[in-house]
Amino acid sequence: MDHSQAPVLEAVAAYHAEGQLPFTPPGHKQGRGADPRLRAVLGEEVFRADVLATGGLDDRTSSGHVLLRAEALMADAVRADHTFFSTCGSSLSVKAAMLAAAGPHEKLVVSRDAHKSVVSGLILAGIRPVWVEPQWDPGLHLAHPPSPASYEAAFEEHPDARGALVTSPTPYGTTADLAEIVRIGHARDLPVIVDEAWGAHLPFHPDLPTWAMDAGADLCVTSVHKMGAGFEQGSVFHLRGGRITPATLAARADLLGTTSPSVLLYAGLDGWRRQMVEQGAELLDRALTLASQVRATVEGIDGLHVHGRDDFCGPGRGHDLDPLQVFVDVSGLGVSGYQAADWLRAHHRINLHVSDHRRVSAQFTHADDAGTADRLVGALRDLSRRAGRTEGLERDHRQVAVPAPERLRLEQAMLPRDAFFGPVESVPSEAAAGRVVAEMLTPYPPGIPAALPGERLDEAVVRYLRTGVAAGMVVPDAADGSLGTIRVVADS
């Protein structure tokens, strides 16, 4: 296919060249009605490109097949059979993917390190999860994707399961052994879905971990806005084979998606695909080299340690690692990752991604260069010099009580949907142990629930969350963000 084309971008240009005049949404009418103060911040061109998709970008009957052509080019670029664009983020896309594999009260094998959007899908659909455990690193206190053996055991115990969902890469950059998990699923003629939100770039460079379609997965969901160059909320579904049909996936996506998709987001997806096909290998070469240099430099800074393959990969850990996710352990400075992230934003205007009780992470993409890398390294050097001696970086004595791996796993006492929609009450958190939780309690980022509706809380997890919040953890989906109270199932 001719990847120099960009059907959405070309259609936007044609819309303006033809002098199309809208008497349709959006009501700002190419920015003419937008507040000048708003245009001054966002720019005129944002409004000019914000046109209606059908009856604007394309005609009333979509005879130009603008979106279909853009999706076909994306599928060809990443070796998928079909691709669908989504403008509601992978949080919606993964729900549609789940609904394409299983329905109410049917079983789906799901890795317990799933994003909160997966749990939302379980709640909305009434799917019965069969959880498979992540591989926990008790020394570093973090989770890596489950092993293939855990999926094999889950399928053996639940032969009526309708498929599996795997999260890979994780927010910590480690990946599952997807090829083996796919082999296990396909041996039973069951679909394997991959939540690959952090893997948009993987198809475009041989030195990156194997991506879902090349591993044989049936369906994967990718957030182009994360490691690609799309706008926030730009997401795609990729589909291969016949275990899930395009018509089924399209119907599930239509059930959840918006009827007012953003052409800006479509254009971002379309333009990124063209850029990656034409320049991706070269751009990612530079990004990988830069990330490697930053890793080596930061490792030499007093009190800091950069996690690499030796820490994150191997037996009982991740199968592979995305080197563009640079995780820095700051515990040697006597501060928490929460403190470090807050201080770097306040004093160096640097925003980092994941922060936890002992780490911060810097996400590198092809957009980074020597200037951004030097600014990050300089800020981390300053962090090292000032830790323990500067306001905001006092030695942190608020220890987060991270439980042993076996204590993190809670009993699934009820279906997530039944717990979420059933009668609930709020109780003091110190009285919540033993009760069935009715809300998600999700340290964010990375957005993996520590407790989800239907699980029976125990003292270890409650203490972990309470000490985490006291140390700076954010739990945004809790009804009471301070965790003074927790919503539980009444009479549980």
Side-chain angles (χ1 to χ4, degrees):
M1 300 182 74
D2 180 5
H3 283 278
S4 67
Q5 299 177 67
V8 177
L9 293 171
E10 291 159 8
V12 171
Y15 183 92
H16 295 138
E18 293 164 1
Q20 299 281 353
L21 180 63
F23 289 92
T24 68
H28 59 71
K29 303 292 183 73
Q30 311 291 269
R32 295 189 300 275
D35 188 326
R37 294 167 294 183
L38 180 59
R39 296 200 306 268
V41 174
L42 298 184
E44 302 281 349
E45 291 305 313
V46 170
F47 291 97
R48 278 176 48 79
D50 187 27
V51 304
L52 199 65
T54 301
L57 183 75
D58 209 336
D59 63 22
R60 178 179 60 83
T61 63
S62 298
S63 65
H65 305 296
V66 174
L67 180 59
L68 290 177
R69 288 187 290 121
E71 290 174 334
L73 284 162
M74 180 73 84
D76 183 70
V78 299
R79 302 175 293 282
D81 293 342
H82 305 275
T83 291
F84 299 87
F85 287 2
S86 170
T87 63
C88 297
S90 290
S91 292
L92 180 141
S93 300
V94 76
K95 296 179 182 72
M98 295 164 65
L99 287 168
H105 299 287
E106 292 182 329
K107 294 178 181 177
L108 188 67
V109 177
V110 183
S111 54
R112 182 55 184 82
D113 60 341
H115 189 265
K116 62 181 291 185
S117 58
V118 172
V119 179
S120 298
L122 297 172
I123 292 169
L124 289 170
I127 292 170
R128 188 177 298 277
V130 175
W131 297 115
V132 290
E133 293 306 306
Q135 300 184 96
W136 294 99
D137 186 324
L140 297 179
H141 293 117
L142 56 82
H144 299 297
S147 68
S150 64
Y151 281 91
E152 181 91 65
F155 282 131
E156 287 293 323
E157 188 176 349
H158 299 274
D160 53 343
R162 298 300 302 273
L165 188 147
V166 189
T167 302
S168 179
T170 70
Y172 286 88
T174 57
T175 65
D177 185 352
L178 289 179
E180 182 61 13
I181 293 170
V182 167
R183 185 197 66 76
I184 290 166
H186 287 183
R188 295 163 172 80
D189 198 27
L190 294 173
V192 175
I193 301 166
V194 181
D195 179 355
E196 201 169 53
W198 286 99
H201 57 313
L202 299 184
F204 299 105
H205 199 283
D207 292 341
L208 292 169
T210 301
W211 92 288
M213 293 288 98
D214 284 351
D218 299 271
L219 172 59
C220 81
V221 171
T222 295
S223 295
V224 173
H225 66 92
K226 284 187 169 70
M227 293 298 290
F231 290 107
E232 281 291 303
Q233 294 183 218
S235 174
V236 291
F237 309 87
H238 297 300
L239 184 64
R240 285 187 70 179
R243 292 180 181 86
I244 296 174
T245 68
T248 297
L249 181 58
R252 302 304 187 268
D254 188 59
L255 183 68
L256 298 173
T258 178
T259 57
S260 304
S262 170
V263 164
L264 284 168
L265 271 63
Y266 283 164
L269 297 170
D270 197 25
W272 172 78
R273 179 270 314 158
R274 180 172 62 181
Q275 180 187 33
M276 284 295 102
V277 171
E278 294 180 344
Q279 307 165 40
E282 178 186 352
L283 292 172
L284 288 167
D285 261 337
R286 291 205 295 265
L288 288 164
T289 298
L290 184 66
S292 177
Q293 292 167 348
V294 168
R295 285 173 170 276
T297 302
V298 174
E299 182 65 25
I301 298 175
D302 287 347
L304 302 182
H305 171 61
V306 180
H307 289 299
R309 293 181 187 277
D310 289 346
D311 295 325
F312 281 5
C313 298
R317 298 175 182 170
H319 178 70
D320 203 350
L321 174 69
D322 179 0
L324 295 179
Q325 300 286 2
V326 179
F327 274 84
V328 182
D329 190 325
V330 299
S331 60
L333 301 177
V335 301
S336 71
Y338 308 124
Q339 286 178 288
D342 292 345
W343 188 86
L344 287 165
R345 176 180 166 87
H347 294 273
H348 287 273
R349 302 298 184 261
I350 284 178
N351 294 281
L352 298 176
H353 179 229
V354 174
S355 57
D356 64 20
H357 62 292
R358 62 187 289 176
R359 283 169 288 264
V360 294
S361 75
Q363 165 200 338
F364 278 79
T365 73
H366 64 281
D368 285 292
D369 56 22
T372 64
D374 288 346
R375 186 170 164 185
L376 172 67
V377 170
L380 290 172
R381 288 191 194 281
D382 196 28
L383 175 76
S384 173
R385 287 193 297 267
R386 296 178 185 272
R389 299 186 295 275
T390 300
E391 184 178 354
L393 285 176
E394 301 90 348
R395 181 168 290 276
D396 193 359
H397 299 290
R398 301 168 299 173
Q399 295 298 312
V400 181
V402 182
E406 62 273 11
R407 298 300 305 274
L408 278 169
R409 182 66 181 97
L410 300 175
E411 173 199 356
Q412 188 76 49
M414 297 174 63
L415 275 181
R417 182 173 67 175
D418 293 345
F420 187 85
F421 288 114
V424 302
E425 60 181 332
S426 294
V427 300
S429 57
E430 57 268 22
R435 303 293 297 274
V436 176
V437 68
E439 61 180 341
M440 274 189 275
L441 301 173
T442 309
Y444 200 91
I448 297 166
L452 53 87
E455 290 186 333
R456 191 175 300 280
L457 290 166
D458 68 11
E459 184 59 41
V461 169
V462 172
R463 185 163 180 262
Y464 160 57
L465 290 167
R466 294 188 69 192
T467 58
V469 168
M473 177 192 290
V474 177
V475 186
D477 46 13
D480 177 358
S482 72
L483 288 194
T485 62
I486 295 175
R487 286 167 63 87
V488 298
V489 174
D491 301 322
S492 61

